[in-house]
Amino acid sequence: MNRPAPSGGSPWIGWIRRMRIPGILLVVAAVAACRTNAPLEGQGASPKQPLDTTLYVAFGLDRAELKDPKLQREFRRLGDELEASFQELHPGVRLEQMAFAEDDMAEEIQRRSRSGLGPDVILVQGNTAETLYRQGLIRPLPFPNPTSNQLRPELIPYVKATPRQLFALPVSLQPQLACFDRRRIASPPATLQELLAESSRGKRFGLSLSTADGAWTMGSLGALESIQLALAGSPLSAEQTARISTWLGWLHTADLQQRITLVNDRKELLAALRSAELDWIPCQSHDVNVLRLDLGKHLGLAPLPAGPAGPATPISSVRVAALGQNSSGRQREAAEAMVPFLLSARIQRTLTIRNQAQLPASAKVSLPVASSANLAALLAAQDQAEAAQELTNSLIALRGKQKGLDRILSQFLYGSLDASEAAETLIQALRPDPVGRPR
């Protein structure tokens, strides 16, 4: 027997079906466009035996996407058309859709799961899905499986729970890149030296102190290999330690510039670019939809600048589909059939071109780069990330230690630690504990 609608979810349903939210657009358009013959585990309903069930789908969104009236109006345009297409091709599967702020998703899913009303499919950022997995709120997927074989191979480390399990499946790739206001910056800086020079000419730049958001500077300033050694528990030479000090020294130099702002929270940078307080910031491509609210056609995208030690070393993020724990048999079949829809090459390509704020997770999709400067910027940024992935893969495991590392950076910039002291403190914080896990 199918479950009743989750308590508190119904007020969203009529509104959210008419929204052009990227995650919702991805699901409904995919389901409306095609059927699949291969659910995740190789079993499930045949196309000749349509499923008859209600599928509860939860989306984690930015708070601005939930609250901004302009975004709501833009998102409503395709809702009726998408729902009609879905009902025409899949009359037996009904979607009840819920939207929550990404930051609240773990608490919300936990509350609903206690009552047996958790969603069947959850679309969120990868780090949110990892939190849900650790709390036992989503069920892992076997690895490899027919659907995971369609993924870009570099995405597997982002969602690997164990050697034989994934906690979710990526449905889109979101490169880290530079976002800027074209009215203020005609040509974005290609190097960190140019960035400092442009700031001296009156351009306003924002940088993040977060070790996750700021990892792109580690490689360009020569510190990333040393940090990787520390993460592995390997000894560092005096020269390797000095490279971390050099990276810290550049951050200190940037912090002293009148028109360069360093903040702990990336959301502060987004708000400052939207309000014209800053002209250039590092961002993730999933920030683009929110930034377009205020900048519109003036929003520019570019790869992050290189440094004296080489190219930038950004870390992409992923948006993923996870499977809930409270599904009935039919709902489980429908949920497992939905994920391959999301990785259809045709759907991934269409949605990437339409949204231009994400890249396909599927390895089988080609894009018309020559016709879109934004797509070209996204792909160039992803090329940077892929070139650095051997070094940055180890940083994915730092999520649980990020607050402690960020605190060390703050102590350094406020003068509590000098560069050499901060480098040694970071190295000790990065080292694994005796059983091989980050402390």
Side-chain angles (χ1 to χ4, degrees), residues 381-415:
Q382 183 57 25
D383 286 344
Q384 285 184 332
E386 289 179 16
Q389 189 167 17
E390 186 175 343
L391 291 172
T392 58
N393 265 350
S394 57
L395 300 183
I396 296 173
L398 287 180
R399 294 186 187 115
K401 306 178 72 176
Q402 185 172 318
K403 288 184 179 179
L405 297 172
D406 293 351
R407 191 178 305 115
I408 296 170
L409 291 180
S410 294
Q411 290 172 339
F412 164 64
L413 290 175
Y414 280 109

PDB file of all heavy atoms in Angstrom, residues 381-415:
ATOM      1  N   ALA A 381      36.818  25.224 -16.992  1.00  0.00           N
ATOM      2  CA  ALA A 381      36.979  25.070 -15.546  1.00  0.00           C
ATOM      3  C   ALA A 381      37.057  23.596 -15.162  1.00  0.00           C
ATOM      4  O   ALA A 381      37.847  23.200 -14.302  1.00  0.00           O
ATOM      5  CB  ALA A 381      35.821  25.751 -14.820  1.00  0.00           C
ATOM      6  N   GLN A 382      36.239  22.764 -15.795  1.00  0.00           N
ATOM      7  CA  GLN A 382      36.278  21.342 -15.505  1.00  0.00           C
ATOM      8  C   GLN A 382      37.583  20.712 -15.967  1.00  0.00           C
ATOM      9  O   GLN A 382      38.105  19.800 -15.325  1.00  0.00           O
ATOM     10  CB  GLN A 382      35.079  20.627 -16.131  1.00  0.00           C
ATOM     11  CG  GLN A 382      34.998  19.143 -15.833  1.00  0.00           C
ATOM     12  CD  GLN A 382      34.975  18.820 -14.345  1.00  0.00           C
ATOM     13  OE1 GLN A 382      34.566  19.647 -13.534  1.00  0.00           O
ATOM     14  NE2 GLN A 382      35.413  17.624 -13.988  1.00  0.00           N
ATOM     15  N   ASP A 383      38.133  21.208 -17.074  1.00  0.00           N
ATOM     16  CA  ASP A 383      39.445  20.730 -17.517  1.00  0.00           C
ATOM     17  C   ASP A 383      40.498  20.998 -16.447  1.00  0.00           C
ATOM     18  O   ASP A 383      41.373  20.156 -16.195  1.00  0.00           O
ATOM     19  CB  ASP A 383      39.842  21.418 -18.822  1.00  0.00           C
ATOM     20  CG  ASP A 383      39.075  20.891 -20.032  1.00  0.00           C
ATOM     21  OD1 ASP A 383      38.464  19.804 -19.919  1.00  0.00           O
ATOM     22  OD2 ASP A 383      39.082  21.570 -21.077  1.00  0.00           O
ATOM     23  N   GLN A 384      40.430  22.188 -15.810  1.00  0.00           N
ATOM     24  CA  GLN A 384      41.347  22.489 -14.717  1.00  0.00           C
ATOM     25  C   GLN A 384      41.189  21.466 -13.590  1.00  0.00           C
ATOM     26  O   GLN A 384      42.172  20.953 -13.053  1.00  0.00           O
ATOM     27  CB  GLN A 384      41.071  23.888 -14.152  1.00  0.00           C
ATOM     28  CG  GLN A 384      41.546  25.050 -14.992  1.00  0.00           C
ATOM     29  CD  GLN A 384      41.294  26.385 -14.288  1.00  0.00           C
ATOM     30  OE1 GLN A 384      40.368  26.516 -13.492  1.00  0.00           O
ATOM     31  NE2 GLN A 384      42.111  27.368 -14.583  1.00  0.00           N
ATOM     32  N   ALA A 385      39.930  21.201 -13.225  1.00  0.00           N
ATOM     33  CA  ALA A 385      39.664  20.279 -12.118  1.00  0.00           C
ATOM     34  C   ALA A 385      40.164  18.873 -12.434  1.00  0.00           C
ATOM     35  O   ALA A 385      40.745  18.197 -11.574  1.00  0.00           O
ATOM     36  CB  ALA A 385      38.173  20.267 -11.806  1.00  0.00           C
ATOM     37  N   GLU A 386      39.950  18.419 -13.670  1.00  0.00           N
ATOM     38  CA  GLU A 386      40.376  17.074 -14.040  1.00  0.00           C
ATOM     39  C   GLU A 386      41.891  16.967 -14.063  1.00  0.00           C
ATOM     40  O   GLU A 386      42.459  15.943 -13.660  1.00  0.00           O
ATOM     41  CB  GLU A 386      39.791  16.702 -15.398  1.00  0.00           C
ATOM     42  CG  GLU A 386      38.289  16.455 -15.350  1.00  0.00           C
ATOM     43  CD  GLU A 386      37.711  16.113 -16.714  1.00  0.00           C
ATOM     44  OE1 GLU A 386      38.500  15.772 -17.620  1.00  0.00           O
ATOM     45  OE2 GLU A 386      36.492  16.190 -16.867  1.00  0.00           O
ATOM     46  N   ALA A 387      42.574  18.021 -14.513  1.00  0.00           N
ATOM     47  CA  ALA A 387      44.036  18.003 -14.558  1.00  0.00           C
ATOM     48  C   ALA A 387      44.634  17.894 -13.157  1.00  0.00           C
ATOM     49  O   ALA A 387      45.714  17.332 -12.969  1.00  0.00           O
ATOM     50  CB  ALA A 387      44.554  19.257 -15.259  1.00  0.00           C
ATOM     51  N   ALA A 388      43.918  18.448 -12.177  1.00  0.00           N
ATOM     52  CA  ALA A 388      44.427  18.454 -10.791  1.00  0.00           C
ATOM     53  C   ALA A 388      43.861  17.332  -9.947  1.00  0.00           C
ATOM     54  O   ALA A 388      44.190  17.227  -8.760  1.00  0.00           O
ATOM     55  CB  ALA A 388      44.098  19.799 -10.145  1.00  0.00           C
ATOM     56  N   GLN A 389      43.026  16.477 -10.519  1.00  0.00           N
ATOM     57  CA  GLN A 389      42.252  15.551  -9.692  1.00  0.00           C
ATOM     58  C   GLN A 389      43.119  14.573  -8.915  1.00  0.00           C
ATOM     59  O   GLN A 389      42.791  14.190  -7.790  1.00  0.00           O
ATOM     60  CB  GLN A 389      41.239  14.790 -10.533  1.00  0.00           C
ATOM     61  CG  GLN A 389      40.277  13.978  -9.665  1.00  0.00           C
ATOM     62  CD  GLN A 389      39.090  13.480 -10.436  1.00  0.00           C
ATOM     63  OE1 GLN A 389      39.102  13.450 -11.656  1.00  0.00           O
ATOM     64  NE2 GLN A 389      38.053  13.085  -9.740  1.00  0.00           N
ATOM     65  N   GLU A 390      44.232  14.167  -9.466  1.00  0.00           N
ATOM     66  CA  GLU A 390      45.097  13.233  -8.744  1.00  0.00           C
ATOM     67  C   GLU A 390      45.538  13.830  -7.411  1.00  0.00           C
ATOM     68  O   GLU A 390      45.707  13.113  -6.418  1.00  0.00           O
ATOM     69  CB  GLU A 390      46.307  12.874  -9.611  1.00  0.00           C
ATOM     70  CG  GLU A 390      47.187  11.802  -8.995  1.00  0.00           C
ATOM     71  CD  GLU A 390      48.313  11.376  -9.921  1.00  0.00           C
ATOM     72  OE1 GLU A 390      48.234  11.662 -11.132  1.00  0.00           O
ATOM     73  OE2 GLU A 390      49.278  10.763  -9.432  1.00  0.00           O
ATOM     74  N   LEU A 391      45.720  15.164  -7.393  1.00  0.00           N
ATOM     75  CA  LEU A 391      46.120  15.841  -6.164  1.00  0.00           C
ATOM     76  C   LEU A 391      44.929  16.211  -5.291  1.00  0.00           C
ATOM     77  O   LEU A 391      45.009  16.161  -4.064  1.00  0.00           O
ATOM     78  CB  LEU A 391      46.915  17.104  -6.499  1.00  0.00           C
ATOM     79  CG  LEU A 391      48.297  16.890  -7.109  1.00  0.00           C
ATOM     80  CD1 LEU A 391      48.885  18.222  -7.556  1.00  0.00           C
ATOM     81  CD2 LEU A 391      49.229  16.226  -6.104  1.00  0.00           C
ATOM     82  N   THR A 392      43.818  16.594  -5.909  1.00  0.00           N
ATOM     83  CA  THR A 392      42.689  17.107  -5.125  1.00  0.00           C
ATOM     84  C   THR A 392      41.758  16.005  -4.616  1.00  0.00           C
ATOM     85  O   THR A 392      40.955  16.254  -3.721  1.00  0.00           O
ATOM     86  CB  THR A 392      41.864  18.117  -5.948  1.00  0.00           C
ATOM     87  OG1 THR A 392      41.386  17.486  -7.145  1.00  0.00           O
ATOM     88  CG2 THR A 392      42.688  19.327  -6.310  1.00  0.00           C
ATOM     89  N   ASN A 393      41.856  14.787  -5.171  1.00  0.00           N
ATOM     90  CA  ASN A 393      40.979  13.707  -4.707  1.00  0.00           C
ATOM     91  C   ASN A 393      41.072  13.521  -3.198  1.00  0.00           C
ATOM     92  O   ASN A 393      40.072  13.276  -2.527  1.00  0.00           O
ATOM     93  CB  ASN A 393      41.336  12.388  -5.402  1.00  0.00           C
ATOM     94  CG  ASN A 393      40.466  12.131  -6.620  1.00  0.00           C
ATOM     95  OD1 ASN A 393      39.485  12.836  -6.855  1.00  0.00           O
ATOM     96  ND2 ASN A 393      40.829  11.139  -7.398  1.00  0.00           N
ATOM     97  N   SER A 394      42.276  13.639  -2.665  1.00  0.00           N
ATOM     98  CA  SER A 394      42.455  13.427  -1.231  1.00  0.00           C
ATOM     99  C   SER A 394      41.759  14.504  -0.409  1.00  0.00           C
ATOM    100  O   SER A 394      41.413  14.277   0.755  1.00  0.00           O
ATOM    101  CB  SER A 394      43.946  13.399  -0.883  1.00  0.00           C
ATOM    102  OG  SER A 394      44.579  14.608  -1.296  1.00  0.00           O
ATOM    103  N   LEU A 395      41.516  15.687  -1.003  1.00  0.00           N
ATOM    104  CA  LEU A 395      40.880  16.769  -0.262  1.00  0.00           C
ATOM    105  C   LEU A 395      39.388  16.532  -0.063  1.00  0.00           C
ATOM    106  O   LEU A 395      38.779  17.164   0.800  1.00  0.00           O
ATOM    107  CB  LEU A 395      41.082  18.098  -0.990  1.00  0.00           C
ATOM    108  CG  LEU A 395      42.531  18.558  -1.204  1.00  0.00           C
ATOM    109  CD1 LEU A 395      42.553  19.915  -1.875  1.00  0.00           C
ATOM    110  CD2 LEU A 395      43.291  18.592   0.109  1.00  0.00           C
ATOM    111  N   ILE A 396      38.796  15.635  -0.848  1.00  0.00           N
ATOM    112  CA  ILE A 396      37.371  15.349  -0.699  1.00  0.00           C
ATOM    113  C   ILE A 396      37.089  14.828   0.707  1.00  0.00           C
ATOM    114  O   ILE A 396      36.031  15.080   1.286  1.00  0.00           O
ATOM    115  CB  ILE A 396      36.908  14.337  -1.772  1.00  0.00           C
ATOM    116  CG1 ILE A 396      37.060  14.945  -3.173  1.00  0.00           C
ATOM    117  CG2 ILE A 396      35.464  13.919  -1.533  1.00  0.00           C
ATOM    118  CD1 ILE A 396      36.794  13.964  -4.304  1.00  0.00           C
ATOM    119  N   ALA A 397      38.057  14.124   1.284  1.00  0.00           N
ATOM    120  CA  ALA A 397      37.870  13.534   2.611  1.00  0.00           C
ATOM    121  C   ALA A 397      38.002  14.558   3.739  1.00  0.00           C
ATOM    122  O   ALA A 397      37.854  14.210   4.907  1.00  0.00           O
ATOM    123  CB  ALA A 397      38.886  12.418   2.816  1.00  0.00           C
ATOM    124  N   LEU A 398      38.276  15.815   3.414  1.00  0.00           N
ATOM    125  CA  LEU A 398      38.501  16.824   4.446  1.00  0.00           C
ATOM    126  C   LEU A 398      37.229  17.466   4.972  1.00  0.00           C
ATOM    127  O   LEU A 398      37.302  18.326   5.849  1.00  0.00           O
ATOM    128  CB  LEU A 398      39.403  17.939   3.897  1.00  0.00           C
ATOM    129  CG  LEU A 398      40.872  17.593   3.706  1.00  0.00           C
ATOM    130  CD1 LEU A 398      41.627  18.786   3.167  1.00  0.00           C
ATOM    131  CD2 LEU A 398      41.496  17.130   5.013  1.00  0.00           C
ATOM    132  N   ARG A 399      36.056  17.062   4.446  1.00  0.00           N
ATOM    133  CA  ARG A 399      34.831  17.763   4.836  1.00  0.00           C
ATOM    134  C   ARG A 399      34.657  17.788   6.351  1.00  0.00           C
ATOM    135  O   ARG A 399      34.273  18.808   6.925  1.00  0.00           O
ATOM    136  CB  ARG A 399      33.619  17.097   4.182  1.00  0.00           C
ATOM    137  CG  ARG A 399      33.595  17.217   2.667  1.00  0.00           C
ATOM    138  CD  ARG A 399      32.284  16.650   2.127  1.00  0.00           C
ATOM    139  NE  ARG A 399      32.298  16.607   0.676  1.00  0.00           N
ATOM    140  CZ  ARG A 399      32.252  15.465  -0.026  1.00  0.00           C
ATOM    141  NH1 ARG A 399      32.175  14.306   0.602  1.00  0.00           N
ATOM    142  NH2 ARG A 399      32.259  15.485  -1.337  1.00  0.00           N
ATOM    143  N   GLY A 400      34.948  16.687   7.009  1.00  0.00           N
ATOM    144  CA  GLY A 400      34.753  16.625   8.444  1.00  0.00           C
ATOM    145  C   GLY A 400      35.755  17.445   9.234  1.00  0.00           C
ATOM    146  O   GLY A 400      35.545  17.695  10.424  1.00  0.00           O
ATOM    147  N   LYS A 401      36.859  17.853   8.601  1.00  0.00           N
ATOM    148  CA  LYS A 401      37.896  18.609   9.298  1.00  0.00           C
ATOM    149  C   LYS A 401      37.923  20.073   8.896  1.00  0.00           C
ATOM    150  O   LYS A 401      38.776  20.825   9.360  1.00  0.00           O
ATOM    151  CB  LYS A 401      39.257  17.974   8.994  1.00  0.00           C
ATOM    152  CG  LYS A 401      39.345  16.503   9.289  1.00  0.00           C
ATOM    153  CD  LYS A 401      40.700  15.933   8.914  1.00  0.00           C
ATOM    154  CE  LYS A 401      41.761  16.407   9.867  1.00  0.00           C
ATOM    155  NZ  LYS A 401      43.066  15.782   9.580  1.00  0.00           N
ATOM    156  N   GLN A 402      36.997  20.473   8.025  1.00  0.00           N
ATOM    157  CA  GLN A 402      37.101  21.794   7.426  1.00  0.00           C
ATOM    158  C   GLN A 402      37.056  22.921   8.458  1.00  0.00           C
ATOM    159  O   GLN A 402      37.819  23.882   8.377  1.00  0.00           O
ATOM    160  CB  GLN A 402      35.991  21.993   6.392  1.00  0.00           C
ATOM    161  CG  GLN A 402      36.099  23.303   5.638  1.00  0.00           C
ATOM    162  CD  GLN A 402      35.111  23.376   4.496  1.00  0.00           C
ATOM    163  OE1 GLN A 402      34.921  22.413   3.779  1.00  0.00           O
ATOM    164  NE2 GLN A 402      34.473  24.522   4.339  1.00  0.00           N
ATOM    165  N   LYS A 403      36.190  22.812   9.457  1.00  0.00           N
ATOM    166  CA  LYS A 403      36.076  23.889  10.434  1.00  0.00           C
ATOM    167  C   LYS A 403      37.386  24.104  11.181  1.00  0.00           C
ATOM    168  O   LYS A 403      37.803  25.242  11.420  1.00  0.00           O
ATOM    169  CB  LYS A 403      34.941  23.588  11.415  1.00  0.00           C
ATOM    170  CG  LYS A 403      33.553  23.716  10.815  1.00  0.00           C
ATOM    171  CD  LYS A 403      32.471  23.499  11.861  1.00  0.00           C
ATOM    172  CE  LYS A 403      31.083  23.652  11.249  1.00  0.00           C
ATOM    173  NZ  LYS A 403      30.007  23.418  12.252  1.00  0.00           N
ATOM    174  N   GLY A 404      38.038  23.013  11.554  1.00  0.00           N
ATOM    175  CA  GLY A 404      39.312  23.137  12.255  1.00  0.00           C
ATOM    176  C   GLY A 404      40.388  23.763  11.392  1.00  0.00           C
ATOM    177  O   GLY A 404      41.163  24.618  11.854  1.00  0.00           O
ATOM    178  N   LEU A 405      40.441  23.369  10.123  1.00  0.00           N
ATOM    179  CA  LEU A 405      41.429  23.937   9.206  1.00  0.00           C
ATOM    180  C   LEU A 405      41.149  25.412   8.947  1.00  0.00           C
ATOM    181  O   LEU A 405      42.073  26.235   8.913  1.00  0.00           O
ATOM    182  CB  LEU A 405      41.422  23.149   7.895  1.00  0.00           C
ATOM    183  CG  LEU A 405      41.819  21.675   8.004  1.00  0.00           C
ATOM    184  CD1 LEU A 405      41.585  20.959   6.677  1.00  0.00           C
ATOM    185  CD2 LEU A 405      43.279  21.533   8.422  1.00  0.00           C
ATOM    186  N   ASP A 406      39.882  25.743   8.767  1.00  0.00           N
ATOM    187  CA  ASP A 406      39.516  27.144   8.540  1.00  0.00           C
ATOM    188  C   ASP A 406      39.880  28.003   9.747  1.00  0.00           C
ATOM    189  O   ASP A 406      40.274  29.169   9.609  1.00  0.00           O
ATOM    190  CB  ASP A 406      38.018  27.261   8.247  1.00  0.00           C
ATOM    191  CG  ASP A 406      37.622  26.618   6.932  1.00  0.00           C
ATOM    192  OD1 ASP A 406      38.527  26.238   6.161  1.00  0.00           O
ATOM    193  OD2 ASP A 406      36.412  26.469   6.677  1.00  0.00           O
ATOM    194  N   ARG A 407      39.764  27.432  10.941  1.00  0.00           N
ATOM    195  CA  ARG A 407      40.101  28.172  12.152  1.00  0.00           C
ATOM    196  C   ARG A 407      41.600  28.505  12.171  1.00  0.00           C
ATOM    197  O   ARG A 407      42.002  29.610  12.585  1.00  0.00           O
ATOM    198  CB  ARG A 407      39.721  27.354  13.391  1.00  0.00           C
ATOM    199  CG  ARG A 407      39.786  28.148  14.696  1.00  0.00           C
ATOM    200  CD  ARG A 407      39.350  27.286  15.877  1.00  0.00           C
ATOM    201  NE  ARG A 407      38.025  26.727  15.650  1.00  0.00           N
ATOM    202  CZ  ARG A 407      37.760  25.443  15.522  1.00  0.00           C
ATOM    203  NH1 ARG A 407      38.753  24.555  15.578  1.00  0.00           N
ATOM    204  NH2 ARG A 407      36.521  25.008  15.330  1.00  0.00           N
ATOM    205  N   ILE A 408      42.420  27.593  11.702  1.00  0.00           N
ATOM    206  CA  ILE A 408      43.862  27.844  11.648  1.00  0.00           C
ATOM    207  C   ILE A 408      44.164  28.989  10.680  1.00  0.00           C
ATOM    208  O   ILE A 408      44.986  29.880  10.969  1.00  0.00           O
ATOM    209  CB  ILE A 408      44.617  26.567  11.235  1.00  0.00           C
ATOM    210  CG1 ILE A 408      44.440  25.487  12.305  1.00  0.00           C
ATOM    211  CG2 ILE A 408      46.094  26.857  11.005  1.00  0.00           C
ATOM    212  CD1 ILE A 408      44.938  24.114  11.889  1.00  0.00           C
ATOM    213  N   LEU A 409      43.484  28.996   9.532  1.00  0.00           N
ATOM    214  CA  LEU A 409      43.689  30.085   8.573  1.00  0.00           C
ATOM    215  C   LEU A 409      43.276  31.424   9.172  1.00  0.00           C
ATOM    216  O   LEU A 409      43.952  32.443   8.975  1.00  0.00           O
ATOM    217  CB  LEU A 409      42.895  29.806   7.294  1.00  0.00           C
ATOM    218  CG  LEU A 409      43.373  28.637   6.427  1.00  0.00           C
ATOM    219  CD1 LEU A 409      42.489  28.495   5.201  1.00  0.00           C
ATOM    220  CD2 LEU A 409      44.819  28.822   6.007  1.00  0.00           C
ATOM    221  N   SER A 410      42.185  31.435   9.901  1.00  0.00           N
ATOM    222  CA  SER A 410      41.733  32.680  10.533  1.00  0.00           C
ATOM    223  C   SER A 410      42.743  33.148  11.579  1.00  0.00           C
ATOM    224  O   SER A 410      43.058  34.342  11.670  1.00  0.00           O
ATOM    225  CB  SER A 410      40.361  32.482  11.188  1.00  0.00           C
ATOM    226  OG  SER A 410      39.368  32.236  10.210  1.00  0.00           O
ATOM    227  N   GLN A 411      43.285  32.212  12.374  1.00  0.00           N
ATOM    228  CA  GLN A 411      44.282  32.576  13.375  1.00  0.00           C
ATOM    229  C   GLN A 411      45.517  33.180  12.713  1.00  0.00           C
ATOM    230  O   GLN A 411      46.109  34.144  13.229  1.00  0.00           O
ATOM    231  CB  GLN A 411      44.665  31.347  14.196  1.00  0.00           C
ATOM    232  CG  GLN A 411      43.563  30.845  15.122  1.00  0.00           C
ATOM    233  CD  GLN A 411      43.912  29.521  15.767  1.00  0.00           C
ATOM    234  OE1 GLN A 411      44.766  28.769  15.272  1.00  0.00           O
ATOM    235  NE2 GLN A 411      43.258  29.201  16.879  1.00  0.00           N
ATOM    236  N   PHE A 412      45.883  32.641  11.569  1.00  0.00           N
ATOM    237  CA  PHE A 412      47.034  33.177  10.838  1.00  0.00           C
ATOM    238  C   PHE A 412      46.764  34.596  10.337  1.00  0.00           C
ATOM    239  O   PHE A 412      47.582  35.507  10.535  1.00  0.00           O
ATOM    240  CB  PHE A 412      47.367  32.250   9.667  1.00  0.00           C
ATOM    241  CG  PHE A 412      48.265  32.856   8.640  1.00  0.00           C
ATOM    242  CD1 PHE A 412      49.560  33.226   8.954  1.00  0.00           C
ATOM    243  CD2 PHE A 412      47.803  33.081   7.339  1.00  0.00           C
ATOM    244  CE1 PHE A 412      50.404  33.802   8.007  1.00  0.00           C
ATOM    245  CE2 PHE A 412      48.622  33.645   6.392  1.00  0.00           C
ATOM    246  CZ  PHE A 412      49.927  34.012   6.721  1.00  0.00           C
ATOM    247  N   LEU A 413      45.619  34.806   9.713  1.00  0.00           N
ATOM    248  CA  LEU A 413      45.341  36.119   9.145  1.00  0.00           C
ATOM    249  C   LEU A 413      45.114  37.176  10.213  1.00  0.00           C
ATOM    250  O   LEU A 413      45.365  38.369   9.974  1.00  0.00           O
ATOM    251  CB  LEU A 413      44.132  36.033   8.204  1.00  0.00           C
ATOM    252  CG  LEU A 413      44.383  35.263   6.906  1.00  0.00           C
ATOM    253  CD1 LEU A 413      43.107  35.129   6.109  1.00  0.00           C
ATOM    254  CD2 LEU A 413      45.462  35.924   6.065  1.00  0.00           C
ATOM    255  N   TYR A 414      44.670  36.777  11.386  1.00  0.00           N
ATOM    256  CA  TYR A 414      44.509  37.731  12.481  1.00  0.00           C
ATOM    257  C   TYR A 414      45.790  37.923  13.281  1.00  0.00           C
ATOM    258  O   TYR A 414      45.817  38.688  14.244  1.00  0.00           O
ATOM    259  CB  TYR A 414      43.376  37.290  13.413  1.00  0.00           C
ATOM    260  CG  TYR A 414      42.010  37.633  12.888  1.00  0.00           C
ATOM    261  CD1 TYR A 414      41.149  36.641  12.429  1.00  0.00           C
ATOM    262  CD2 TYR A 414      41.569  38.957  12.827  1.00  0.00           C
ATOM    263  CE1 TYR A 414      39.886  36.948  11.932  1.00  0.00           C
ATOM    264  CE2 TYR A 414      40.319  39.274  12.334  1.00  0.00           C
ATOM    265  CZ  TYR A 414      39.473  38.272  11.894  1.00  0.00           C
ATOM    266  OH  TYR A 414      38.230  38.588  11.400  1.00  0.00           O
ATOM    267  N   GLY A 415      46.857  37.221  12.898  1.00  0.00           N
ATOM    268  CA  GLY A 415      48.154  37.455  13.527  1.00  0.00           C
ATOM    269  C   GLY A 415      48.466  36.588  14.722  1.00  0.00           C
ATOM    270  O   GLY A 415      49.522  36.755  15.346  1.00  0.00           O
TER     271      GLY A 415
END
